[in-house]
Amino acid sequence: NNNGKTFYVDSMVAMTSNGSNDWESTSTNCGLNDAGDAVECVDDAQFALRQFNVQAKGLLNFAPEATLWAGKRFYQRHDVHISDFYYWNISGAGAGIEGIEAGPGKLSFAWVRNDRSDITDEGNDGDAANVNTLDLRYAGLSLWSNASLEMGLDYAIVNETEDASNSTKDAKNGVMVTAELTQGLDSGFNKTVFQYGTEGYSKAFAFYGDGSWYGAEANDGADGYRIINWGVIGLGDNWELGHQLVYGVGNDMWDGQDKWETFSVVARPMFKWDENNKTIFEAGYAIDDNDGFESTYGKMTVAQAWSAGSSFWARPEIRLYATYLTADDDNDTQKFDGGRSDDTFQFGVQAEAWW
C-alpha cells in the first residue's frame, strides 16, 4: 500500500482426499508386499492450484476506486449456502476491472477462459474447444427499502480445435442473462434470481450449472431458464430458517430431447438452546423430468450442533447428524447399497470451519 495504491497477491491451493489413511499424500502405499512383489503406488490426495492472481487498486485515474486484476481467481461467485449450489460463477483464468462507480451502483467487466477437453472424438487427445466468457455486471442498484438489484450479461465465445468432435465443429456462441434481487429483512435476507440462456447455457439450467461450464455440444437453438429463491430468516429469538427453491428448464439440448425440467426444495430450520448449542433439521426433495421420464430424490436430516456463537452462520461448528435418503426413477435404476435399495440411512460427525 503506497499512497492509496494497493497491490494484493491472492493464492489458494486445494487438497482433496478420500480420508482413508492418516498419512494423506500423493504417493503412498508404495513398495513391496509380504511376498516381496512390487506394489503399485496409490495416491491418497490430489492437489490443485485454485487461485493465483494480482489485484491492484487506485491505479486507474478515471476510476481510482476500481480494482484491476489478472490471473486465476474465484470471481464474484453467487451461491446458495445450505446446498453448496453455485448458480453464477465464471471462475477461471482471465482479467478484468471491477467496482467502477457508475451512478447508484458499480460496474465490473471480466474476460475469463475455460477449456473443454471432454467433447473430442474417441481416440483424440487434447482440448476440443476453449470458451472465452465476457462478463458484464452492474451491482448495488437500490430499489426500495433494504432492496437492491444486481444484473449481469455473460457471452460465451467458442473456439474449436482440430480435436473437436463432429458434433461441436459448428458450436454456437451463447448468452446468459442474470438478475438477482436481494431483500434485507429485520432478521435475515431473501434473494430472488432469474436467469435465461441460449445455446450451450441451456445445459447449465437443466443440470444445476453455474455458467463456468459451457455446453458447446448443445443443439443450435437450444435455450433455457432458471428461477431461484433462497435466504435465511429469523423466526423469533430461538429459531432461524434457511431455505432454497430452484426451478430450471433446458429446451432442445440434443436430438430427441425436447424439455428437461428440474425442481428442488430445501428447508433447514434451526433451534438454539443457548449461545453455543443448537439442533438443526433439514428436509429436501428434488425432481428431474426429461420429457416425462422422472427421477425423484428425498432427504431428511437431524443434527445436534455446537458452534462458536448462536447465529446461523456461526463457525467453527461440530455436528452429530443422522440422514435418511431416498431415490427413485421410472426405470428403477436409482439405487443405494450397490443397487439393492431405493433408500439408505447414514450417520456421522462433521466439523466445519472458515478462514
Side-chain angles (χ1 to χ4, degrees):
N1 185 347
N2 184 14
N3 295 325
K5 295 179 174 60
T6 66
F7 283 83
Y8 176 77
V9 178
D10 181 27
S11 61
M12 177 185 288
V13 175
M15 186 273 281
T16 181
S17 170
N18 63 14
S20 60
N21 294 286
D22 174 56
W23 183 268
E24 297 174 346
S25 68
T26 57
S27 57
T28 189
N29 300 333
C30 300
L32 303 177
N33 59 19
D34 294 338
D37 300 322
V39 177
E40 182 181 359
C41 294
V42 178
D43 290 344
D44 284 320
Q46 293 182 331
F47 291 84
L49 181 63
R50 298 296 288 122
Q51 297 194 79
F52 199 94
N53 60 82
V54 174
Q55 302 174 30
K57 193 172 182 178
L59 303 183
L60 305 176
N61 292 333
F62 68 92
E65 75 286 348
T67 298
L68 179 68
W69 68 272
K72 179 181 175 66
R73 68 175 288 197
F74 294 163
Y75 182 71
Q76 297 193 27
R77 305 187 303 170
H78 293 239
D79 70 300
V80 180
H81 172 75
I82 61 174
S83 58
D84 202 26
F85 165 43
Y86 286 84
Y87 53 88
W88 193 10
N89 170 30
I90 63 159
S91 297
I97 304 174
E98 62 179 332
I100 302 172
E101 292 183 359
K106 291 187 176 182
L107 189 67
S108 299
F109 177 78
W111 166 36
V112 177
R113 170 176 161 168
N114 283 288
D115 292 343
R116 288 287 309 276
S117 60
D118 58 336
I119 50 176
T120 59
D121 286 329
E122 185 176 356
N124 284 350
D125 295 322
D127 293 324
N130 62 72
V131 181
N132 293 272
T133 302
L134 304 180
D135 180 277
L136 180 66
R137 305 190 187 196
Y138 188 70
L141 179 60
S142 181
L143 299 179
W144 51 81
S145 178
N146 295 324
S148 64
L149 179 67
E150 179 172 355
M151 299 172 289
L153 175 67
D154 291 281
Y155 182 59
I157 304 171
V158 183
N159 296 308
E160 304 91 353
T161 73
E162 61 182 12
D163 293 324
S165 64
N166 292 329
S167 63
T168 56
K169 289 290 187 183
D170 299 317
K172 302 299 182 182
N173 300 337
V175 175
M176 182 175 75
V177 179
T178 301
E180 180 183 85
L181 172 64
T182 301
Q183 177 65 62
L185 306 173
D186 291 338
S187 178
F189 66 92
N190 184 267
K191 290 179 180 285
T192 301
V193 184
F194 175 77
Q195 296 177 292
Y196 173 78
T198 65
E199 310 302 339
Y201 281 121
S202 61
K203 286 196 167 185
F205 306 137
F207 301 108
Y208 293 90
D210 56 15
S212 62
W213 183 93
Y214 184 74
E217 66 275 40
N219 279 350
D220 185 9
D223 70 345
Y225 64 91
R226 181 163 59 197
I227 301 171
I228 303 168
N229 184 273
W230 77 279
V232 177
I233 305 170
L235 304 173
D237 295 334
N238 298 104
W239 286 94
E240 282 188 277
L241 171 68
H243 76 277
Q244 165 194 303
L245 287 168
V246 177
Y247 175 69
V249 174
N251 295 311
D252 302 320
M253 292 180 292
W254 58 81
D255 292 340
Q257 189 275 338
D258 294 325
K259 186 176 184 180
W260 187 295
E261 294 178 275
T262 186
F263 170 78
S264 71
V265 55
V266 183
R268 183 187 291 183
M270 179 184 75
F271 181 78
K272 312 171 190 181
W273 298 95
D274 54 43
E275 184 68 15
N276 306 109
N277 182 11
K278 61 186 69 168
T279 301
I280 304 171
F281 307 91
E282 183 170 292
Y285 183 73
I287 302 174
D288 287 334
D289 187 336
N290 181 15
D291 292 334
F293 177 85
E294 284 194 356
S295 300
T296 61
Y297 312 90
K299 171 188 176 182
M300 292 287 292
T301 293
V302 60
Q304 183 61 36
W306 298 266
S307 59
S310 63
S311 168
F312 188 92
W313 308 101
R315 303 294 185 275
E317 185 170 87
I318 298 172
R319 310 181 194 105
L320 177 65
Y321 74 91
T323 293
Y324 175 71
L325 298 165
T326 65
D328 190 23
D329 62 32
D330 291 342
N331 287 341
D332 206 26
T333 59
Q334 301 289 349
K335 292 284 188 179
F336 298 102
D337 301 325
R340 296 186 298 272
S341 174
D342 58 6
D343 62 356
T344 189
F345 178 78
Q346 298 177 353
F347 65 93
V349 180
Q350 295 176 326
E352 181 177 350
W354 304 339
W355 67 90

